[in-house]
Coordinates of all heavy atoms in Angstrom, one line a residue:
M490 N -35.8 -118.4 143.0 CA -34.4 -118.6 143.0 C -33.7 -117.9 141.8 O -32.7 -117.2 142.0 CB -34.1 -120.1 142.9 CG -32.6 -120.4 142.9 SD -32.0 -120.0 144.5 CE -30.3 -120.5 144.3
A491 N -34.3 -118.0 140.6 CA -33.7 -117.3 139.4 C -33.7 -115.8 139.6 O -32.7 -115.2 139.2 CB -34.5 -117.7 138.2
S492 N -34.7 -115.2 140.2 CA -34.7 -113.8 140.4 C -33.6 -113.4 141.4 O -33.0 -112.3 141.2 CB -36.1 -113.3 140.9 OG -36.4 -113.9 142.1
S493 N -33.3 -114.2 142.4 CA -32.2 -113.8 143.3 C -30.9 -113.9 142.6 O -30.1 -113.0 142.8 CB -32.2 -114.9 144.5 OG -33.3 -114.7 145.3
L494 N -30.7 -114.9 141.7 CA -29.5 -114.9 140.9 C -29.3 -113.8 140.0 O -28.3 -113.2 139.8 CB -29.4 -116.3 140.2 CG -29.3 -117.5 141.1 CD1 -29.4 -118.8 140.3 CD2 -28.0 -117.5 141.9
L495 N -30.4 -113.4 139.3 CA -30.4 -112.3 138.3 C -30.1 -111.0 139.1 O -29.3 -110.2 138.6 CB -31.7 -112.2 137.6 CG -31.9 -113.3 136.5 CD1 -33.3 -113.3 136.0 CD2 -30.9 -113.1 135.3
D496 N -30.7 -110.8 140.2 CA -30.4 -109.6 141.0 C -29.0 -109.6 141.5 O -28.3 -108.6 141.4 CB -31.4 -109.6 142.2 CG -31.4 -108.2 142.9 OD1 -31.5 -107.2 142.1 OD2 -31.4 -108.2 144.1
A497 N -28.5 -110.7 141.9 CA -27.1 -110.8 142.4 C -26.1 -110.5 141.3 O -25.0 -110.0 141.6 CB -26.8 -112.2 143.0
I498 N -26.4 -110.8 140.1 CA -25.5 -110.6 139.0 C -25.7 -109.2 138.4 O -25.0 -108.8 137.4 CB -25.5 -111.7 137.9 CG1 -24.3 -111.6 137.0 CG2 -26.8 -111.7 137.2 CD1 -23.0 -111.8 137.6
G499 N -26.6 -108.4 138.9 CA -26.9 -107.1 138.4 C -27.7 -107.0 137.1 O -27.5 -106.1 136.3
L500 N -28.6 -108.0 136.9 CA -29.5 -108.0 135.7 C -30.9 -108.1 136.1 O -31.7 -108.9 135.7 CB -29.1 -109.1 134.8 CG -27.7 -109.1 134.2 CD1 -27.4 -110.4 133.4 CD2 -27.6 -107.9 133.2
P501 N -31.4 -107.2 137.0 CA -32.8 -107.2 137.5 C -33.8 -107.0 136.4 O -35.0 -107.4 136.6 CB -32.9 -106.1 138.6 CG -31.8 -105.2 138.1 CD -30.7 -106.0 137.5
E502 N -33.4 -106.4 135.3 CA -34.4 -106.2 134.2 C -34.8 -107.5 133.5 O -35.8 -107.5 132.8 CB -33.9 -105.2 133.2 CG -32.7 -105.7 132.3 CD -31.4 -105.6 133.0 OE1 -31.3 -105.3 134.2 OE2 -30.4 -105.7 132.2
L503 N -34.1 -108.6 133.8 CA -34.5 -109.9 133.3 C -35.5 -110.6 134.2 O -36.0 -111.7 133.8 CB -33.3 -110.8 133.0 CG -32.3 -110.2 132.0 CD1 -31.1 -111.2 131.9 CD2 -33.0 -110.1 130.6
I504 N -35.8 -110.1 135.3 CA -36.7 -110.7 136.3 C -38.2 -110.4 135.8 O -38.5 -109.3 135.5 CB -36.5 -110.2 137.7 CG1 -35.1 -110.5 138.2 CG2 -37.6 -110.8 138.7 CD1 -34.7 -109.9 139.5
T505 N -39.0 -111.5 135.8 CA -40.4 -111.3 135.4 C -41.2 -112.0 136.5 O -40.7 -112.8 137.3 CB -40.7 -112.0 134.0 OG1 -40.3 -113.4 134.1 CG2 -39.9 -111.3 132.9
D506 N -42.5 -111.6 136.5 CA -43.4 -112.1 137.5 C -44.5 -113.1 137.0 O -45.4 -113.5 137.7 CB -44.0 -111.0 138.3 CG -44.8 -110.1 137.5 OD1 -44.9 -110.3 136.3 OD2 -45.3 -109.1 138.0
S507 N -44.4 -113.4 135.7 CA -45.4 -114.3 135.2 C -44.8 -115.0 133.9 O -43.8 -114.5 133.3 CB -46.7 -113.6 134.8 OG -46.4 -112.8 133.7
Y508 N -45.4 -116.1 133.6 CA -44.9 -116.8 132.4 C -45.1 -115.9 131.1 O -44.2 -115.9 130.3 CB -45.7 -118.1 132.2 CG -45.3 -118.8 130.9 CD1 -44.1 -119.6 130.9 CD2 -46.0 -118.7 129.7 CE1 -43.7 -120.2 129.7 CE2 -45.6 -119.4 128.6 CZ -44.5 -120.1 128.6 OH -44.1 -120.7 127.4
E509 N -46.2 -115.2 131.1 CA -46.5 -114.3 130.0 C -45.4 -113.2 129.9 O -44.9 -112.9 128.8 CB -47.9 -113.7 130.1 CG -49.0 -114.6 129.9 CD -49.3 -115.5 131.2 OE1 -48.8 -115.1 132.3 OE2 -49.9 -116.5 131.0
A510 N -45.0 -112.6 131.0 CA -44.0 -111.6 131.0 C -42.6 -112.2 130.6 O -41.9 -111.5 129.9 CB -43.9 -110.9 132.4
Y511 N -42.4 -113.4 131.0 CA -41.1 -114.1 130.7 C -41.1 -114.3 129.2 O -40.1 -114.0 128.5 CB -41.1 -115.4 131.4 CG -39.9 -116.2 131.0 CD1 -38.6 -116.0 131.6 CD2 -40.0 -117.3 130.1 CE1 -37.5 -116.8 131.3 CE2 -38.9 -118.1 129.8 CZ -37.7 -117.8 130.4 OH -36.6 -118.6 130.0
E512 N -42.2 -114.8 128.6 CA -42.3 -115.0 127.2 C -42.1 -113.7 126.4 O -41.3 -113.7 125.4 CB -43.6 -115.7 126.8 CG -43.7 -116.0 125.4 CD -45.1 -116.7 125.1 OE1 -46.1 -116.4 125.7 OE2 -45.0 -117.7 124.3
A513 N -42.7 -112.7 126.8 CA -42.6 -111.4 126.2 C -41.2 -110.8 126.2 O -40.7 -110.3 125.2 CB -43.6 -110.3 126.8
R514 N -40.5 -111.0 127.3 CA -39.2 -110.5 127.5 C -38.2 -111.3 126.5 O -37.4 -110.8 125.9 CB -38.7 -110.7 128.9 CG -37.3 -110.2 129.2 CD -37.1 -108.7 129.3 NE -38.2 -108.0 130.0 CZ -38.4 -107.8 131.3 NH1 -37.5 -108.2 132.1 NH2 -39.5 -107.2 131.7
A515 N -38.5 -112.6 126.5 CA -37.6 -113.5 125.6 C -37.8 -113.1 124.1 O -36.9 -113.0 123.4 CB -38.0 -115.0 125.8
I516 N -39.1 -112.9 123.7 CA -39.4 -112.5 122.4 C -38.7 -111.1 122.1 O -38.1 -110.9 121.0 CB -40.9 -112.5 122.1 CG1 -41.4 -113.9 122.1 CG2 -41.2 -111.8 120.8 CD1 -42.9 -114.0 122.1
D517 N -38.9 -110.2 123.0 CA -38.3 -108.9 122.8 C -36.7 -109.0 122.6 O -36.2 -108.3 121.7 CB -38.6 -108.0 124.0 CG -38.1 -106.6 123.8 OD1 -38.3 -105.9 122.8 OD2 -37.4 -106.1 124.7
L518 N -36.1 -109.8 123.5 CA -34.6 -109.9 123.3 C -34.3 -110.6 122.0 O -33.3 -110.3 121.4 CB -34.1 -110.7 124.5 CG -34.0 -110.0 125.8 CD1 -33.7 -110.9 127.0 CD2 -33.0 -108.8 125.8
A519 N -35.1 -111.6 121.6 CA -34.8 -112.3 120.3 C -34.9 -111.3 119.2 O -34.2 -111.5 118.2 CB -35.8 -113.4 120.2
R520 N -35.7 -110.3 119.3 CA -35.9 -109.4 118.2 C -34.9 -108.2 118.2 O -34.8 -107.4 117.3 CB -37.3 -108.8 118.2 CG -38.3 -109.8 117.8 CD -39.7 -109.3 117.9 NE -40.7 -110.3 117.4 CZ -42.0 -110.2 117.7 NH1 -42.5 -109.2 118.4 NH2 -42.8 -111.1 117.3
T521 N -34.1 -108.1 119.3 CA -33.2 -106.9 119.5 C -31.8 -107.5 119.8 O -31.5 -107.5 121.0 CB -33.7 -105.9 120.5 OG1 -33.9 -106.7 121.8 CG2 -35.0 -105.3 120.2
P522 N -31.0 -107.8 118.8 CA -29.7 -108.3 119.1 C -28.8 -107.4 119.9 O -28.0 -107.8 120.7 CB -29.1 -108.5 117.7 CG -30.2 -108.6 116.8 CD -31.3 -107.8 117.4
E523 N -29.0 -106.1 119.8 CA -28.3 -105.1 120.6 C -28.6 -105.2 122.0 O -27.8 -105.0 122.9 CB -28.4 -103.7 120.0 CG -29.8 -103.1 120.2 CD -30.8 -103.5 119.1 OE1 -30.4 -104.1 118.1 OE2 -32.0 -103.1 119.2
G524 N -29.8 -105.6 122.3 CA -30.2 -105.8 123.7 C -29.5 -107.0 124.3 O -29.0 -106.9 125.5
I525 N -29.4 -108.0 123.6 CA -28.7 -109.2 124.0 C -27.2 -108.9 124.2 O -26.6 -109.3 125.2 CB -28.9 -110.4 123.0 CG1 -30.4 -110.8 123.1 CG2 -28.0 -111.5 123.4 CD1 -30.7 -111.9 122.1
S526 N -26.7 -108.1 123.3 CA -25.3 -107.7 123.4 C -25.0 -106.9 124.6 O -24.0 -107.1 125.3 CB -24.8 -106.9 122.2 OG -24.8 -107.7 121.0
R527 N -25.9 -106.0 124.9 CA -25.8 -105.2 126.1 C -25.8 -106.0 127.4 O -25.0 -105.9 128.3 CB -26.9 -104.1 126.2 CG -26.5 -102.8 126.4 CD -27.6 -101.7 126.5 NE -29.0 -102.1 126.3 CZ -29.7 -102.1 125.2 NH1 -29.1 -101.7 124.1 NH2 -30.9 -102.4 125.2
I528 N -26.7 -107.0 127.4 CA -26.9 -107.9 128.6 C -25.6 -108.8 128.7 O -25.1 -108.9 129.8 CB -28.1 -108.7 128.5 CG1 -29.3 -107.8 128.8 CG2 -28.1 -109.9 129.5 CD1 -30.7 -108.4 128.5
T529 N -25.2 -109.3 127.6 CA -24.0 -110.1 127.6 C -22.8 -109.4 128.1 O -22.0 -109.9 128.9 CB -23.7 -110.7 126.2 OG1 -24.8 -111.4 125.8 CG2 -22.5 -111.6 126.2
S530 N -22.6 -108.1 127.6 CA -21.5 -107.3 128.1 C -21.5 -107.0 129.6 O -20.5 -107.1 130.3 CB -21.5 -106.0 127.4 OG -21.2 -106.2 126.0
R531 N -22.7 -106.7 130.1 CA -22.9 -106.5 131.5 C -22.6 -107.7 132.3 O -22.0 -107.7 133.4 CB -24.3 -105.9 131.8 CG -24.3 -104.5 131.5 CD -25.6 -103.8 131.8 NE -26.2 -104.1 133.1 CZ -27.5 -104.3 133.2 NH1 -28.3 -104.3 132.2 NH2 -28.0 -104.7 134.4
L532 N -23.1 -108.9 131.8 CA -22.8 -110.1 132.5 C -21.3 -110.4 132.6 O -20.8 -110.8 133.6 CB -23.5 -111.3 131.8 CG -23.3 -112.7 132.4 CD1 -23.8 -112.7 133.8 CD2 -24.1 -113.7 131.5
K533 N -20.6 -110.2 131.5 CA -19.2 -110.4 131.5 C -18.5 -109.5 132.5 O -17.6 -109.9 133.2 CB -18.6 -110.3 130.1 CG -18.9 -111.4 129.2 CD -18.4 -111.2 127.8 CE -18.8 -112.3 126.8 NZ -18.4 -112.0 125.4
K534 N -18.9 -108.2 132.5 CA -18.3 -107.3 133.4 C -18.6 -107.6 134.8 O -17.7 -107.6 135.7 CB -18.8 -105.9 133.1 CG -18.3 -104.8 134.0 CD -18.9 -103.4 133.6 CE -18.8 -102.5 134.8 NZ -20.1 -102.0 135.2
N535 N -19.9 -107.9 135.1 CA -20.3 -108.2 136.5 C -19.7 -109.5 137.0 O -19.6 -109.7 138.2 CB -21.8 -108.2 136.6 CG -22.4 -106.8 136.3 OD1 -21.7 -105.8 136.2 ND2 -23.7 -106.8 136.2
R536 N -19.4 -110.4 136.1 CA -18.9 -111.7 136.5 C -17.6 -111.6 137.3 O -17.3 -112.3 138.2 CB -18.7 -112.6 135.3 CG -18.2 -113.9 135.5 CD -18.1 -114.7 134.2 NE -17.2 -114.0 133.3 CZ -17.2 -114.3 132.0 NH1 -18.0 -115.2 131.5 NH2 -16.4 -113.6 131.2
D537 N -16.8 -110.5 137.0 CA -15.6 -110.3 137.7 C -15.7 -109.5 139.0 O -14.8 -109.5 139.8 CB -14.6 -109.6 136.8 CG -14.2 -110.4 135.6 OD1 -14.2 -111.7 135.7 OD2 -13.9 -109.9 134.5
T538 N -16.9 -108.9 139.2 CA -17.0 -108.0 140.4 C -18.1 -108.5 141.4 O -18.2 -108.0 142.5 CB -17.3 -106.6 140.0 OG1 -18.5 -106.6 139.2 CG2 -16.1 -106.0 139.2
C539 N -19.0 -109.3 141.0 CA -20.2 -109.7 141.8 C -19.8 -110.8 142.7 O -19.1 -111.8 142.3 CB -21.4 -110.1 140.9 SG -22.1 -108.8 140.1
P540 N -20.2 -110.7 144.0 CA -20.0 -111.8 144.9 C -20.5 -113.2 144.5 O -20.0 -114.2 144.9 CB -20.7 -111.3 146.2 CG -20.9 -109.9 146.1 CD -21.0 -109.6 144.6
L541 N -21.5 -113.2 143.6 CA -22.0 -114.5 143.2 C -21.0 -115.4 142.6 O -21.0 -116.6 142.7 CB -23.2 -114.2 142.2 CG -23.8 -115.4 141.5 CD1 -24.6 -116.2 142.6 CD2 -24.8 -115.0 140.4
F542 N -20.0 -114.8 141.9 CA -18.9 -115.6 141.3 C -17.6 -115.6 142.1 O -16.6 -116.1 141.6 CB -18.7 -115.0 139.9 CG -19.8 -115.2 138.9 CD1 -20.7 -114.2 138.6 CD2 -20.0 -116.5 138.4 CE1 -21.8 -114.4 137.8 CE2 -21.1 -116.7 137.5 CZ -22.0 -115.7 137.2
D543 N -17.7 -115.2 143.3 CA -16.5 -115.2 144.1 C -16.4 -116.5 144.9 O -17.0 -116.7 146.0 CB -16.5 -114.0 145.1 CG -15.2 -113.9 145.9 OD1 -14.5 -114.8 146.0 OD2 -15.0 -112.8 146.5
T544 N -15.8 -117.5 144.3 CA -15.9 -118.9 144.8 C -15.1 -119.0 146.2 O -15.5 -119.7 147.0 CB -15.4 -119.9 143.8 OG1 -14.1 -119.5 143.4 CG2 -16.3 -120.1 142.7
A545 N -14.1 -118.2 146.3 CA -13.3 -118.2 147.6 C -14.2 -117.7 148.7 O -14.2 -118.3 149.8 CB -12.0 -117.4 147.5
L546 N -14.9 -116.6 148.4 CA -15.8 -116.1 149.5 C -17.0 -117.0 149.7 O -17.3 -117.2 150.9 CB -16.3 -114.7 149.0 CG -17.3 -114.0 150.0 CD1 -16.6 -113.7 151.3 CD2 -17.8 -112.7 149.3
F547 N -17.5 -117.7 148.7 CA -18.6 -118.6 148.9 C -18.1 -119.8 149.8 O -18.8 -120.2 150.7 CB -19.1 -119.2 147.5 CG -20.1 -120.3 147.7 CD1 -21.4 -119.9 148.0 CD2 -19.7 -121.6 147.6 CE1 -22.4 -120.9 148.1 CE2 -20.7 -122.6 147.8 CZ -22.0 -122.3 148.0
A548 N -16.9 -120.3 149.5 CA -16.3 -121.4 150.3 C -16.2 -121.0 151.8 O -16.5 -121.7 152.7 CB -15.0 -121.8 149.7
K549 N -15.7 -119.7 152.0 CA -15.5 -119.2 153.3 C -16.9 -119.2 154.0 O -17.0 -119.6 155.2 CB -14.9 -117.9 153.3 CG -14.6 -117.2 154.6 CD -13.9 -115.9 154.5 CE -13.6 -115.2 155.7 NZ -14.6 -115.1 156.7
H550 N -17.9 -118.7 153.3 CA -19.2 -118.5 153.9 C -19.8 -119.9 154.3 O -20.4 -120.1 155.3 CB -20.2 -117.8 153.0 CG -19.9 -116.3 153.0 ND1 -20.5 -115.5 152.1 CD2 -19.1 -115.5 153.8 CE1 -20.1 -114.2 152.3 NE2 -19.3 -114.2 153.3
I551 N -19.7 -120.9 153.4 CA -20.3 -122.2 153.6 C -19.6 -122.9 154.7 O -20.2 -123.6 155.6 CB -20.4 -123.0 152.3 CG1 -21.5 -124.1 152.6 CG2 -19.2 -123.6 151.9 CD1 -22.1 -124.6 151.3
E552 N -18.2 -122.7 154.8 CA -17.5 -123.3 155.9 C -17.9 -122.7 157.2 O -18.0 -123.4 158.3 CB -16.0 -123.1 155.7 CG -15.4 -124.0 154.6 CD -14.0 -123.6 154.2 OE1 -13.5 -122.7 154.7 OE2 -13.5 -124.4 153.3
D553 N -18.1 -121.4 157.3 CA -18.6 -120.7 158.5 C -20.0 -121.3 158.9 O -20.2 -121.5 160.0 CB -18.7 -119.2 158.2 CG -19.1 -118.4 159.5 OD1 -18.7 -118.8 160.6 OD2 -19.8 -117.4 159.3
A554 N -20.9 -121.4 157.9 CA -22.2 -122.0 158.2 C -22.1 -123.4 158.8 O -22.8 -123.7 159.7 CB -23.1 -122.0 156.9
Y555 N -21.3 -124.2 158.2 CA -21.1 -125.6 158.7 C -20.5 -125.6 160.1 O -21.0 -126.4 160.9 CB -20.1 -126.4 157.8 CG -20.7 -126.8 156.4 CD1 -19.9 -127.0 155.3 CD2 -22.1 -127.0 156.2 CE1 -20.4 -127.3 154.1 CE2 -22.6 -127.3 155.0 CZ -21.7 -127.5 153.9 OH -22.2 -127.9 152.7
A556 N -19.6 -124.7 160.4 CA -19.0 -124.6 161.7 C -20.1 -124.2 162.7 O -20.2 -124.8 163.8 CB -17.9 -123.6 161.7
Q557 N -21.0 -123.3 162.3 CA -22.0 -122.8 163.2 C -23.0 -124.0 163.5 O -23.5 -124.2 164.6 CB -22.8 -121.7 162.6 CG -22.0 -120.4 162.7 CD -22.8 -119.2 162.1 OE1 -23.9 -119.0 162.5 NE2 -22.3 -118.5 161.1
M558 N -23.4 -124.7 162.4 CA -24.3 -125.9 162.6 C -23.7 -126.9 163.5 O -24.3 -127.5 164.4 CB -24.6 -126.5 161.2 CG -25.5 -125.6 160.3 SD -25.9 -126.5 158.8 CE -24.7 -125.8 157.7
Y559 N -22.4 -127.2 163.3 CA -21.7 -128.2 164.1 C -21.7 -127.8 165.6 O -22.0 -128.6 166.5 CB -20.2 -128.3 163.6 CG -19.4 -129.3 164.4 CD1 -19.4 -130.6 164.2 CD2 -18.6 -128.8 165.4 CE1 -18.6 -131.5 164.9 CE2 -17.8 -129.7 166.2 CZ -17.8 -131.0 165.9 OH -17.1 -131.9 166.6
E560 N -21.4 -126.5 165.9 CA -21.4 -126.0 167.2 C -22.8 -126.1 167.9 O -22.9 -126.4 169.0 CB -20.9 -124.5 167.3 CG -19.4 -124.4 167.0 CD -18.6 -125.2 168.0 OE1 -18.9 -125.2 169.2 OE2 -17.6 -125.8 167.6
R561 N -23.8 -125.7 167.1 CA -25.2 -125.8 167.6 C -25.5 -127.2 168.0 O -26.1 -127.5 169.0 CB -26.2 -125.2 166.6 CG -26.2 -123.7 166.4 CD -27.4 -123.3 165.6 NE -28.6 -123.5 166.2 CZ -29.1 -122.7 167.2 NH1 -28.5 -121.7 167.6 NH2 -30.3 -123.0 167.8
H562 N -25.2 -128.1 167.1 CA -25.5 -129.5 167.3 C -24.8 -130.1 168.6 O -25.5 -130.7 169.4 CB -25.1 -130.4 166.1 CG -25.3 -131.8 166.3 ND1 -26.5 -132.4 166.3 CD2 -24.4 -132.8 166.5 CE1 -26.4 -133.7 166.6 NE2 -25.1 -134.0 166.7
H563 N -23.6 -129.8 168.7 CA -22.8 -130.3 169.8 C -23.1 -129.5 171.1 O -22.8 -130.0 172.2 CB -21.3 -130.3 169.5 CG -20.9 -131.4 168.7 ND1 -20.7 -132.7 169.2 CD2 -20.7 -131.5 167.3 CE1 -20.4 -133.5 168.2 NE2 -20.4 -132.8 167.0
S564 N -23.8 -128.4 171.0 CA -24.3 -127.7 172.2 C -25.7 -128.1 172.6 O -26.2 -127.6 173.6 CB -24.2 -126.2 172.0 OG -22.9 -125.7 171.7
G565 N -26.2 -129.0 171.8 CA -27.6 -129.5 172.1 C -28.7 -128.6 171.7 O -29.8 -128.7 172.2
L566 N -28.4 -127.6 170.9 CA -29.4 -126.7 170.4 C -30.1 -127.2 169.2 O -29.6 -128.0 168.4 CB -28.7 -125.3 170.0 CG -28.0 -124.6 171.2 CD1 -27.2 -123.5 170.6 CD2 -29.0 -124.2 172.2
L567 N -31.4 -126.8 169.0 CA -32.1 -127.2 167.9 C -31.7 -126.4 166.7 O -31.1 -125.3 166.8 CB -33.6 -126.9 168.1 CG -34.3 -127.7 169.2 CD1 -35.7 -127.2 169.5 CD2 -34.3 -129.2 168.8
P568 N -31.9 -126.9 165.5 CA -31.6 -126.1 164.2 C -32.3 -124.8 164.3 O -33.4 -124.6 164.8 CB -32.2 -127.0 163.1 CG -32.2 -128.4 163.7 CD -32.5 -128.2 165.2
D569 N -31.6 -123.8 163.7 CA -32.1 -122.4 163.6 C -31.5 -121.7 162.5 O -30.7 -122.3 161.7 CB -31.8 -121.7 164.9 CG -32.7 -120.5 165.2 OD1 -33.5 -120.2 164.3 OD2 -32.5 -119.8 166.2
H570 N -31.8 -120.5 162.2 CA -31.2 -119.7 161.2 C -29.7 -119.6 161.4 O -29.3 -119.5 162.5 CB -31.9 -118.3 161.1 CG -33.3 -118.4 160.7 ND1 -33.8 -118.5 159.4 CD2 -34.4 -118.3 161.5 CE1 -35.1 -118.5 159.5 NE2 -35.5 -118.4 160.7
I571 N -29.0 -119.6 160.3 CA -27.6 -119.5 160.3 C -27.2 -118.2 159.6 O -27.7 -117.9 158.5 CB -26.8 -120.6 159.6 CG1 -27.2 -121.9 160.3 CG2 -25.3 -120.4 159.5 CD1 -26.5 -122.1 161.6
F572 N -26.4 -117.3 160.2 CA -26.0 -116.1 159.6 C -24.5 -116.1 159.4 O -23.8 -116.4 160.4 CB -26.4 -114.9 160.4 CG -27.9 -114.8 160.6 CD1 -28.6 -115.3 161.7 CD2 -28.7 -114.2 159.6 CE1 -29.9 -115.2 161.8 CE2 -30.1 -114.1 159.7 CZ -30.7 -114.6 160.8
V573 N -24.0 -115.8 158.2 CA -22.6 -115.7 158.0 C -22.1 -114.3 157.8 O -22.9 -113.4 157.4 CB -22.2 -116.6 156.7 CG1 -22.5 -118.0 156.9 CG2 -22.9 -116.0 155.5
R574 N -20.9 -114.1 158.2 CA -20.3 -112.7 158.1 C -20.1 -112.4 156.7 O -19.6 -113.3 155.9 CB -19.0 -112.6 158.9 CG -19.2 -112.8 160.4 CD -17.9 -112.8 161.1 NE -17.0 -113.9 160.8 CZ -17.1 -115.1 161.3 NH1 -18.0 -115.4 162.2 NH2 -16.2 -116.0 160.9
R575 N -20.2 -111.2 156.3 CA -20.0 -110.8 154.9 C -18.6 -110.2 154.8 O -17.9 -109.8 155.5 CB -20.9 -109.7 154.5 CG -22.3 -110.2 154.3 CD -23.2 -109.2 153.8 NE -24.5 -109.8 153.5 CZ -25.3 -109.6 152.5 NH1 -24.9 -108.7 151.7 NH2 -26.4 -110.2 152.4

């Protein structure tokens, strides 16, 4: 889940595949304040442009998903994958 969120916010370099890699990345960032500043700046910039933080779009998508689930249920269909329009 965390890797999906990091990818969605445009910070894939923070994704690690093991505890050891995570620890090494944290230590490296703790030792390089300019690296943390760079990441913080990108996060602030991306916060205004990434769909992850678009609450109106998220609400629209979840409402669409709920409507699809409701329709499936009332049509007697079994649960299945739900796809929302982008």
Side-chain angles (χ1 to χ4, degrees):
M490 182 68 180
S492 61
S493 294
L494 293 172
L495 287 168
D496 194 47
I498 193 61
L500 295 171
E502 69 275 14
L503 295 180
I504 299 171
T505 59
D506 58 2
S507 69
Y508 179 79
E509 292 78 16
Y511 175 84
E512 183 178 38
R514 182 76 40 85
I516 291 169
D517 182 53
L518 286 171
R520 291 181 177 159
T521 56
E523 65 277 357
I525 293 174
S526 290
R527 229 179 4 263
I528 289 169
T529 302
S530 294
R531 283 185 37 224
L532 178 59
K533 286 178 182 175
K534 177 183 159 236
N535 293 351
R536 182 176 55 199
D537 295 331
T538 59
C539 289
L541 180 65
F542 291 101
D543 187 341
T544 53
L546 181 62
F547 175 80
K549 182 179 181 308
H550 284 171
I551 201 160
E552 288 170 356
D553 183 34
Y555 288 152
Q557 289 182 52
M558 288 183 265
Y559 178 84
E560 290 299 321
R561 289 190 64 78
H562 174 73
H563 283 280
S564 297
L566 299 171
L567 294 173
D569 200 356
H570 296 280
I571 299 290
F572 298 96
V573 295
R574 295 178 296 276
R575 290 186 175 217

